Amino acid sequence: MKKSPSNRYDPLSMAFHWVTAIAVLMAFILGPGGFGRLLHNGVDPGTHSDIVWHESLGILIFVLTALRLLWVAVRPAAPQVAMPGLMRLVSKLAHLALWTLLLITPITAFLTLGSEGAPLTLLGGLRVEQLGFIAHSFLAPLADWGDVHSLLGDAIIWLAGLHAVAALFHHIKLQDGVLVSMLPWIKVR
Ligand code: HEM
Ligand code: HEM
């Protein structure tokens, strides 16, 4: 049963939000360019720390997003800040797009590895040599999944950037408590 909304997100929602935001930024910075060329030249992606970190962070983001969605279903009600209907609609659409990108960007990465016959290489020497079930699925030949994945990786950063600008606009111009609702370190009355 959801209680009446407070003016802050609960601590677990804040933790999910900020750990995910940092992981997405780091995954983007470490996004491996020239991956196809490496494979073509017979280089083992597991010997490149940027790829290993990128894939590990990407999996972390995927797992956190799945757990976070479960939490959203049962958590205390999210804060409800009063705002015009159109602004609320745009904000809801932006969140929906972010949730979708947080889930499908990693999924397209698995399709990339499967269709290119590349191993999944993770921190701690963990690796899965072949994602054969993906390579043989009907999805593999439908697109150049490396290009799709890179495009979605760029899109999430652009959208998160706009989302951050919107949060700052709420704080500085509208002064309506939207940004503070997601900040763990600011006390409100
Ligand atoms: C939300 C999470 C992720 C984001 C934001 C992201 C972002 C990106 C970006 C921007 C690129 C293009 C880099 C460039 O061309 O300079 C890229 C490439 C790549 N990413 Fe991710 N990624 C994510 C998750 C993952 C995961 C989970 C994996 C593996 C399990 C992965 C594996 C790869 C691979 C193999 C490439 C090279 C694709 C190619 O060129 O064929 N990524 N990623
Ligand atoms: C990659 C970076 C980011 C991603 C993927 C992201 C994603 C999201 C998502 C999915 C929500 C809904 C959360 C929920 O219902 O629990 C949210 C809320 C929020 N985010 Fe972000 N975010 C990012 C970065 C940022 C940054 C940098 C800021 C601030 C400068 C920010 C400020 C906020 C605020 C204030 C909310 C609550 C908004 C509201 O309830 O209307 N986010 N974010």
Side-chain angles (χ1 to χ4, degrees), residues 9 13 17-18 20-22 24-25 68 72 75 78-79 83 91 95 98-99 102 156-157 160 163-165 167-168 178-183:
Y9 278 87
S13 293
H17 179 273
W18 292 110
T20 303
I22 292 166
V24 168
L25 191 62
R68 189 174 167 193
V72 168
R75 72 181 178 187
M83 63 178 84
S91 133
H95 286 183
L98 283 168
W99 283 116
L102 287 170
I156 202 169
I157 287 296
H163 162 81
V165 169
L168 291 173
V178 164
L179 178 58
V180 173
S181 73
M182 195 46 106
L183 296 181

Side-chain angles (χ1 to χ4, degrees), residues 19-67:
V19 173
T20 303
I22 292 166
V24 168
L25 191 62
M26 285 171 66
F28 177 76
I29 291 169
L30 295 169
F35 186 75
R37 191 161 14 93
L38 277 185
L39 291 181
H40 183 74
N41 293 336
V43 177
D44 178 355
T47 59
H48 282 245
S49 63
D50 57 340
I51 297 178
V52 171
W53 271 96
H54 178 81
E55 295 188 357
S56 304
L57 286 164
I59 300 253
L60 174 71
I61 292 161
F62 187 61
V63 171
L64 282 179
T65 303
L67 292 175

Side-chain angles (χ1 to χ4, degrees), residues 135-171:
H136 301 119
S137 81
F138 73 98
L139 287 168
L142 290 187
D144 181 331
W145 289 109
D147 284 354
V148 175
H149 175 71
S150 303
L151 199 79
L152 295 180
D154 287 345
I156 202 169
I157 287 296
W158 277 102
L159 190 56
L162 287 174
H163 162 81
V165 169
L168 291 173
F169 177 78
H170 275 278
H171 189 65

